[in-house]
Amino acid sequence: MSAECIMGPKRKSSKPRNIKYNNQKLVLSLFRYAERISVSEIAEQAGLSKTTITKIVGDFLEKGLIVSAGKGESTEEGGKKPELFSFNPTYQYSLVVNLIRSCASVFLMDLTSHLIDQIQLRDSIVPEDYGGMVQLAAHAIRDLLKNSGLDLSRISGIIVMGDGILDVKNGTIRYSVHHQWPRNLPICQDLARALQTDVPVYIENNSALVGYSDLLDPENQPFNTIVHLTVGAHTGGCVLKKHELVHGFNGFMGEFGHIIVDPHSNLTCMCGSKGCFEVMAAPRNVFRNAESWKDEYPDSPVTEALHNGDLTMQVIFDASNLGDTFACRLMDEVIRWFCVLIRTIMIANDPEKIIIGGEYQHAGRYFLETLRSMVASTPFFRTGADLPIAYAKDSREIAYLTGASYYLCRKYIDNDHLYD
């Protein structure tokens, strides 16, 4: 496998070729999000001329990346019905290899992130057997392709979803959090060798790919810097600048869970520090607080759920949105840690939008309104009072596959296949 396949595309210059490339990426994202769309609609949403869009659409049609999708409705003034176009999902396919032990799987996707088939790996993985895992993933890929009547020539790329500290540039797992593996494992090279293929193999953090799916939402197109937080039992995230993932030098970018938000806490994080955001905001800590404070709120639905053994975060969310004092106190405690984290992110990254995903994207009105108010509660941070803080639209399970598929589609363009 060539170094370019592992390391990704060359840095683009600011030449006219790069302008065309950026326009194609923008138009591609609109096709990926819309079921059917016309040249006029693309031009309006992309802020480009109809002439430019017509040329891009023509190129995509010639290569088979998009297809004609019939006629749209006439305008109120009447006139010719516009021709509509849609993404060609079977132009190429992609493979997503998820190595997270709790949900380890290999997925075959089409270009619109539709799941074709999958094979579960988690019951077959031996935690310390890295070499066996690579062979297992390669075998699953061959089975998926065989079952679908495809071969590797129809695959635009393979992406490995990992956790921990990754060297994305060189396709290496520097430190795996959930596997007992050695450090600095060349996973992209090893998987390509096991498959005996020159299909590009990439690696990305699973939380980064969840955030990457935000780029498909037209509402996010105007923002140059977006921070996505995925918060639940574990915390991850990513920074998106100019519609690209920011990786940093050592692979720590997006590891927001390991920012210390309470230096006085005795709760120890898996990273070895105490008071990290991940342990302070985790549902298990919320439940721990609920158990400690329940006697003060005997009539709360949260206390009732505790007694019945069916307390969930959704019970707390729902009760807080109805004004329950106990639930609001539990939420206020978590919101404190979110506030510290978001203010730190504001100083470090100065984002134009923050998106919250994972468990807390279902928290509802009380959490979000209180968080926005608390973040802007001091004169210094009131300057950023208009910072949009919003919930993710898709579940993590959907978002990471959508993000991974879109990531590979973009990489396919990055490697100049659409310029040939």
Side-chain angles (χ1 to χ4, degrees), residues 101-112:
R101 284 180 61 188
S102 61
C103 53
S105 306
V106 178
F107 303 90
L108 176 65
M109 315 284 295
D110 67 21
L111 284 183
T112 56

Side-chain angles (χ1 to χ4, degrees), residues 176-231:
S176 177
V177 174
H178 298 296
H179 295 280
Q180 301 170 28
W181 292 341
R183 292 175 181 261
N184 300 317
L185 297 167
I187 178 68
C188 294
Q189 177 179 309
D190 290 343
L191 183 57
R193 184 179 293 119
L195 288 169
Q196 298 182 329
T197 184
D198 59 359
V199 171
V201 182
Y202 308 96
I203 187 168
E204 268 295 350
N205 189 283
N206 64 310
S207 294
L209 291 172
V210 170
Y212 200 75
S213 68
D214 294 335
L215 296 177
L216 282 168
D217 187 347
E219 289 184 11
N220 296 326
Q221 289 292 329
F223 301 109
N224 282 320
T225 304
I226 298 172
V227 170
H228 186 108
L229 299 172
T230 302
V231 186

Side-chain angles (χ1 to χ4, degrees), residues 304-319:
E304 181 182 354
L306 267 172
H307 287 159
N308 295 335
D310 55 4
L311 180 63
T312 64
M313 289 299 292
Q314 195 60 54
V315 169
I316 299 173
F317 295 155
D318 292 343

Side-chain angles (χ1 to χ4, degrees), residues 70-89:
K71 298 290 185 178
E73 297 296 327
S74 300
T75 63
E76 292 181 1
E77 294 78 15
K80 187 177 180 181
K81 293 183 178 181
E83 185 171 2
L84 301 178
F85 304 94
S86 64
F87 215 71
N88 179 4

Side-chain angles (χ1 to χ4, degrees), residues 29 59 125 127 138 208 213 215 272-273 294 323 330 349 381 396 400 402:
S29 69
D59 290 343
I125 290 180
S213 68
L215 296 177
S273 300
K294 65 182 180 181
L330 291 168
N349 298 282
F381 286 99
R396 182 181 179 279
Y400 81 72
T402 301

Side-chain angles (χ1 to χ4, degrees), residues 142-177:
R142 294 190 189 96
D143 283 349
L144 281 177
L145 295 176
K146 182 179 179 181
N147 293 342
S148 302
L150 301 172
D151 57 43
L152 284 166
S153 67
R154 299 295 309 281
I155 303 300
S156 63
I158 301 170
I159 189 162
V160 178
M161 298 178 58
D163 55 12
I165 308 302
L166 309 177
D167 181 349
V168 173
K169 180 179 179 182
N170 294 298
T172 301
I173 300 175
R174 299 187 68 176
Y175 172 69
S176 177
V177 174

